[in-house]
Amino acid sequence: NAGVTQTPKFQVLKTGQSMTLQCAQDMNHEYMSWYRQDPGMGLRLIHYSVGAGITDQGEVPNGYNVSRSTTEDFPLRLLSAAPSQTSVYFCASSTRQGNTEAFFGQGTRLTVV
Amino acid sequence: AQRVTQPEKLLSVFKGAPVELKCNYSYSGSPELFWYVQYSRQRLQLLLRHISRESIKGFTADLNKGETSFHLKKPFAQEEDSAMYYCALSPLNGNKLVFGAGTILRVKS
């Protein structure tokens, strides 16, 4: 029962570096999304996808790219890391049917120095 | 605009005391409301949702459309209820979740 798997769990980047946060799910869910969690601000939606080949921006997309080449994978790319991107990142998936339970990964704690 | 407000950052209660975590929302249509919980060192998980009208781990939440609220309640708090609680909404038949800032619940013995 893997569910939603995120890698890495922890990462430290230098300003200007790029990296990809990996997210994979084995539940055949159509809908996948990325959130960032910051103190006092809750979880904010970065990007989401309703199926392979379809992505769209959420509330805070700047500085991030996504792609969805398969149903299972939804990587999040930081193009040029900035200290403001220091956060905990969560990937989630759910069926495309509305109002169903969202399943979350364990999170990636990213620090940009 | 869609917005979820959780006015309390921290709620501290004694074991056996009643608990009420407040959640207010603004949304132009009829949203679906959820409560998600994150226990220490565990991933975020669904606690309950309005559409199911169920009680999970003794928690209930009633949707008050007049006051646009979806407060989470439990009559007798237990130490294992200590966690971060997030209220969230999504459009009816939609998937995008909008979260509140979260409330840390601490249950003291």
Side-chain angles (χ1 to χ4, degrees):
Chain A
N1 290 342
V4 180
T5 302
Q6 288 183 237
T7 54
K9 291 185 180 179
F10 302 94
Q11 183 70 49
V12 178
L13 287 179
K14 293 183 178 179
T15 298
Q17 286 185 316
S18 63
M19 79 159 295
T20 300
L21 307 184
Q22 301 292 343
C23 176
Q25 53 94 6
D26 61 0
M27 297 173 282
N28 202 31
H29 284 167
E30 302 94 335
Y31 186 84
M32 295 186 74
S33 52
W34 277 101
Y35 294 86
R36 58 178 290 172
Q37 182 188 42
D38 300 293
M41 304 188 77
L43 280 78
R44 292 180 293 167
L45 182 64
I46 304 171
H47 285 286
Y48 66 97
S49 169
V50 298
I54 306 169
T55 63
D56 206 346
Q57 296 180 352
E59 180 186 356
V60 287
N62 292 341
Y64 308 95
N65 272 356
V66 292
S67 60
R68 184 92 179 271
S69 56
T70 67
T71 299
E72 294 79 17
D73 300 300
F74 191 45
L76 178 73
R77 297 183 187 85
L78 280 70
L79 308 173
S80 177
S84 60
Q85 293 179 303
T86 294
S87 186
V88 180
Y89 292 84
F90 288 98
C91 178
S93 76
S94 62
T95 64
R96 189 165 181 177
Q97 179 184 355
N99 312 125
T100 58
E101 177 179 359
F103 292 85
F104 285 82
Q106 75 272 35
T108 296
R109 185 174 294 276
L110 175 68
T111 302
V112 183
V113 297
Chain B
Q2 305 167 16
R3 181 184 291 272
V4 176
T5 302
Q6 294 178 250
E8 303 138 328
K9 289 186 178 180
L10 172 66
L11 183 63
S12 187
V13 301
F14 283 102
K15 177 182 173 181
V19 172
E20 183 179 47
L21 301 172
K22 291 183 167 51
C23 172
N24 290 91
Y25 67 90
S26 62
Y27 184 70
S28 57
S30 296
E32 187 53 48
L33 279 301
F34 305 83
W35 278 98
Y36 280 82
V37 61
Q38 188 174 26
Y39 300 103
S40 179
R41 302 185 188 280
Q42 294 187 28
R43 61 186 68 196
L44 198 64
Q45 58 187 285
L46 178 68
L47 179 62
L48 57 80
R49 50 188 164 181
H50 164 249
I51 197 169
S52 301
R53 291 183 170 62
E54 56 197 347
S55 173
I56 303 294
K57 298 184 178 182
F59 284 98
T60 59
D62 292 320
L63 178 61
N64 185 321
K65 292 186 177 180
E67 296 182 356
T68 59
S69 68
F70 189 58
H71 303 328
L72 183 68
K73 300 178 182 179
K74 185 170 183 177
F76 308 104
Q78 299 174 310
E79 289 181 74
E80 54 264 35
D81 295 328
S82 295
M84 172 72 92
Y85 291 80
Y86 288 101
C87 182
L89 70 78
S90 75
L92 203 61
N93 297 321
N95 294 96
K96 290 168 63 175
L97 285 168
V98 177
F99 286 87
T103 299
I104 298 171
L105 174 64
R106 290 200 184 130
V107 181
K108 300 175 289 188
S109 58

